[in-house]
Amino acid sequence: MNWEQLEGKWDQIKGTIKTKWAELTDDDLLLIEGKKDKFIGMLQERYGITKEEAEKQADEFDLDL
């Protein structure tokens, strides 16, 4: 699934995302709005990881959908 499709289904998959990345708050998920760049930035901030690692995690999750 690409991020455009994910963005359209954001409300339905927020729970799945929160299960995988428990450090993301409900407010974080509201701010992200299904936008990949916002999601990557929030992963970096909450988990203290590099942009490259956040992108890798986001892309791997994308493949699992």
Side-chain angles (χ1 to χ4, degrees), residues 25-42:
T25 66
D26 291 334
D27 288 341
D28 293 340
L29 296 174
L30 285 173
L31 290 172
I32 292 168
E33 301 174 320
K35 306 283 189 213
K36 187 176 182 180
D37 59 334
K38 290 181 181 181
F39 181 66
I40 289 169
M42 200 63 71

Side-chain angles (χ1 to χ4, degrees), residues 2-65:
N2 68 39
W3 276 88
E4 287 178 18
Q5 292 172 323
L6 189 144
E7 186 176 340
K9 297 180 180 189
W10 188 247
D11 286 335
Q12 292 88 355
I13 64 162
K14 285 192 290 189
T16 304
I17 289 173
K18 192 156 184 189
T19 299
K20 183 165 177 80
W21 291 285
E23 296 293 319
L24 295 177
T25 66
D26 291 334
D27 288 341
D28 293 340
L29 296 174
L30 285 173
L31 290 172
I32 292 168
E33 301 174 320
K35 306 283 189 213
K36 187 176 182 180
D37 59 334
K38 290 181 181 181
F39 181 66
I40 289 169
M42 200 63 71
L43 286 180
Q44 287 179 263
E45 182 179 324
R46 294 288 181 236
Y47 288 92
I49 58 177
T50 65
K51 182 177 181 180
E52 292 76 19
E53 179 59 29
E55 287 174 342
K56 179 181 174 203
Q57 289 184 24
D59 288 343
E60 286 174 355
F61 179 74
D62 191 19
L63 295 173
D64 292 342
L65 293 176

